[in-house]
Amino acid sequence: MVYVRWNTVIIGVVIAIILGFVLGLISASGAFIGFLIATIYVGYMIGGDYVNGAIHGALVGIVAAIVLFILALIGFGVAAGLSDIIILAIIGAIGGVIGVLIGGRGRSRF
């Protein structure tokens, strides 16, 4: 069973949205690169095994996509939809695994 560290997920969501916005202004694929960087950070901070990193990274992608969807509904003009939730969850899982690999398998950061 994986214990979800929500404080790390929330930090990852904030980083993902900020980096996604800033890098999205630079290039079309910059938003996805920003999300990938944020989820690599989350995987690194979480540590543990691959499953732990993938779950936390996917949660960052899902929560960030939902936040962007809500912002789009409010009228901030952010492009988001159901397909973005799936895509960002996949990118998040990949980034979480990469972060765990960078941090070293089996070591906890906290």
Side-chain angles (χ1 to χ4, degrees):
M1 183 170 167
V2 175
Y3 174 73
V4 177
R5 295 184 186 153
W6 285 104
N7 57 345
T8 307
V9 171
I10 299 299
I11 291 170
V13 168
V14 171
I15 293 171
I17 291 173
I18 292 171
L19 278 179
F21 177 74
V22 171
L23 294 177
L25 293 175
I26 297 171
S27 75
S29 62
F32 292 112
I33 294 170
F35 279 103
L36 184 63
I37 291 170
T39 55
I40 288 172
Y41 168 77
V42 168
Y44 179 79
M45 291 305 295
I46 290 297
D49 59 357
Y50 306 117
V51 174
N52 202 18
I55 288 173
H56 282 82
L59 282 173
V60 169
I62 291 168
V63 173
I66 291 171
V67 168
L68 291 176
F69 182 72
I70 291 170
L71 289 175
L73 289 177
I74 293 173
F76 284 98
V78 179
L82 183 60
S83 63
D84 288 343
I85 294 174
I86 296 168
I87 291 169
L88 293 180
I90 293 169
I91 291 173
I94 292 169
V97 170
I98 292 171
V100 167
L101 289 173
I102 291 172
R105 186 169 184 236
R107 293 185 300 184
S108 179
R109 303 282 175 256
F110 296 103

